[in-house]
Amino acid sequence: HGLDVQKNIFFLGREFRPYKPHPASAEHVMLDKWGLQDEERGHVWFVGDGEHDLVCARQAGCVPVLIRNVGDHDPKHVAHQK
């Protein structure tokens, strides 16, 4: 689909319902806002900082990526979870 990474970063905050880990908000962004086809979900990285984000990513068919904050909110290496 050739998405421009700078234009296709989306933050799922608490304004979206149902809340994560339900996949509806991630599916809305991918399918409705970005216009991806269902089979393209596996190319989307869902980056989060908690278990609810990983569960949401898996349920939505995305690649789950966990960011760990170490110490004083210093983001360290990204752990790619499957």
Side-chain angles (χ1 to χ4, degrees):
H1 217 318
L3 290 176
D4 180 344
V5 173
Q6 294 298 321
K7 293 180 182 177
N8 291 291
I9 295 175
F10 201 88
F11 295 93
L12 295 177
R14 297 198 183 275
E15 69 275 9
F16 289 96
R17 301 231 180 7
Y19 294 124
K20 295 178 284 180
H22 195 285
S25 54
E27 291 168 341
H28 168 69
V29 171
M30 290 186 298
L31 304 176
D32 299 334
K33 289 202 172 285
W34 291 345
L36 296 180
Q37 300 299 311
D38 199 47
E39 62 273 6
E40 295 176 294
R41 294 173 183 227
H43 299 285
V44 174
W45 287 22
F46 190 112
V47 180
D49 63 355
E51 182 65 26
H52 61 284
D53 296 311
L54 297 178
V55 172
C56 182
R58 288 185 191 111
Q59 290 180 353
C62 302
V63 176
V65 179
L66 178 65
I67 299 288
R68 287 188 313 133
N69 284 321
V70 177
D72 189 24
H73 303 290
D74 180 22
K76 294 296 181 190
H77 184 17
V78 176
H80 178 184
Q81 304 282 322
K82 246 324 188 189

